[in-house]
Amino acid sequence: VSRWSLKGKTALVTGGTRGIGHAIVEDLCGFGATVHTCSRNQDELNNCLNQWRSKGFLVSGSVCDVSSREQREKLIQEVASIFNGKLHIYVNNVGANFRKPTIEYTAEVYSEIMAINLDSAYHLCQLTHPLLKAYGMGSIVFISSIAGVVSLGTGSVYAASKVMFSAAITQLTKNLACEWAKDGIRSNCVVPATTNTPLVEHLLRNKQYMDEMLSRTPLGCIAESHEVSSLVAFLCLPAASYITGQVICVDGGLTVNGFQ
Ligand code: NDP
């Protein structure tokens, strides 16, 4: 088996119809994996599935809102039945991104963010664990945010909250790496900075935000989705078999940039 191939491997990628998740589906398929993905919009999902199939990619999909516990359970039942109770790769890509000053979060918005980001990630790991363990060689990749690594608040028009969930995902990555190593499961986290996707269209149009982001980013531009998905795919390859518990930024150097 080639160290640089995912041929014969099976993967679940949440939120694959747009942005970073879409690029991850394409990269995993490009390396030969069979992929199942989900999103909340049936039409958009069908469009994507048709396009992928016309490219010869092996992709299936379900409509699923991962913030719902019931729908998560249904999703994993479907995945288990499609892939015969086994899975090699789980990519936890869905995540909400609300920017507000800390004191402006209402209880409702706080609960909503925690449900979408943290509850779903935690529960989906619990649900995929037996499937990943079944092969004895699993890879979990979380997509977090640099908000979990550095404070994004200072001097920005959008004062960001502390974004506890990003930091929690980072720690979950490390704990699962240790706890599930005995089951042959690796766990890593990819941390994008601003990436050109529909999620952040409003930020890309905000000149003040962009000027500040670009001036702080050594590479001087924001990321395209495929620049993030290539690391996700690498972490799933047999070539990455000794890499676990790592949190890796794909940020053009933003988080290591000190005083200019
Ligand atoms: P997009 O909004 O561009 O795409 C999100 C995808 O996930 C869509 O396919 C969407 O489809 C699906 N999705 C969203 N919510 C749910 C849900 N509750 N259940 C199922 N599917 C859902 O996002 P990005 O690609 O930009 O972001 C991907 C990840 O990267 C997120 O975790 C985000 O926080 C993180 N990130 C992104 C950054 C950026 O600058 N873009 C920066 C840092 C982190 P649908 O809406 O139809 O359900």
Side-chain angles (χ1 to χ4, degrees):
V1 179
S2 165
R3 290 159 55 236
W4 298 98
S5 168
L6 293 174
K7 213 156 190 252
K9 299 278 198 289
T10 54
L12 169 64
V13 179
T14 60
T17 57
R18 290 196 301 275
I20 294 169
H22 187 271
I24 294 170
V25 171
E26 298 213 328
D27 269 353
L28 295 180
C29 288
F31 279 107
T34 306
V35 178
H36 189 84
T37 190
C38 71
S39 80
R40 293 166 300 182
N41 183 315
Q42 178 84 68
D43 290 342
E44 207 178 352
L45 182 62
N46 287 343
N47 279 341
C48 286
L49 292 174
N50 287 335
Q51 281 173 21
W52 285 325
R53 285 168 186 160
S54 71
K55 290 184 186 178
F57 291 161
L58 301 169
V59 194
S60 51
S62 315
V63 172
C64 168
D65 181 344
V66 299
S67 64
S68 148
R69 193 172 181 91
E70 272 170 25
Q71 291 190 38
R72 292 193 290 262
E73 277 161 359
K74 193 165 152 274
L75 172 70
I76 300 305
Q77 278 165 15
E78 283 167 10
V79 169
S81 102
I82 293 168
F83 295 142
N84 299 317
K86 295 179 182 178
L87 189 67
H88 292 101
I89 296 163
Y90 170 56
V91 182
N92 190 97
N93 167 65
V94 169
N97 183 355
F98 295 83
R99 287 161 185 261
K100 279 175 189 289
T102 301
I103 54 169
E104 284 179 20
Y105 278 90
T106 60
E108 288 72 30
V109 172
Y110 178 90
S111 300
E112 196 190 332
I113 294 174
M114 287 301 173
I116 297 173
N117 290 296
L118 201 51
D119 298 0
S120 79
Y122 196 83
H123 187 215
L124 281 166
C125 284
Q126 291 178 315
L127 293 171
T128 52
H129 176 254
L131 283 72
L132 293 165
K133 190 179 166 180
Y135 275 123
M137 46 186 297
S139 174
I140 299 173
V141 181
F142 295 99
I143 311 299
S144 182
S145 159
I146 56 163
V149 180
V150 293
S151 167
L152 294 177
T154 323
S156 161
V157 278
Y158 286 83
S161 79
K162 287 206 178 199
V163 207
M164 294 79 82
F165 51 84
S166 297
I169 291 286
T170 298
Q171 196 54 36
L172 184 60
T173 301
K174 298 176 186 181
N175 279 281
L176 293 186
C178 299
E179 194 179 335
W180 290 353
K182 66 174 180 356
D183 301 322
I185 300 171
R186 295 181 296 110
S187 159
N188 292 288
C189 181
V190 169
V191 185
T194 306
T195 306
N196 184 11
T197 75
L199 181 73
V200 294
E201 254 168 12
H202 60 292
L203 289 177
L204 306 184
R205 284 195 305 265
N206 180 325
K207 187 172 181 315
Q208 196 182 341
Y209 175 87
M210 287 303 286
D211 285 350
E212 188 170 338
M213 186 52 77
L214 296 182
S215 74
R216 287 175 178 230
T217 305
L219 289 184
C221 55
I222 62 163
E224 295 298 327
S225 292
H226 61 83
E227 295 179 293
V228 178
S229 63
S230 47
L231 175 60
V232 177
F234 170 71
L235 289 168
C236 297
L237 283 166
S241 56
Y242 203 59
I243 304 174
T244 194
Q246 300 307 303
V247 178
I248 308 175
C249 295
V250 181
D251 66 355
L254 177 70
T255 57
V256 297
N257 201 12
F259 293 101
Q260 297 274 3

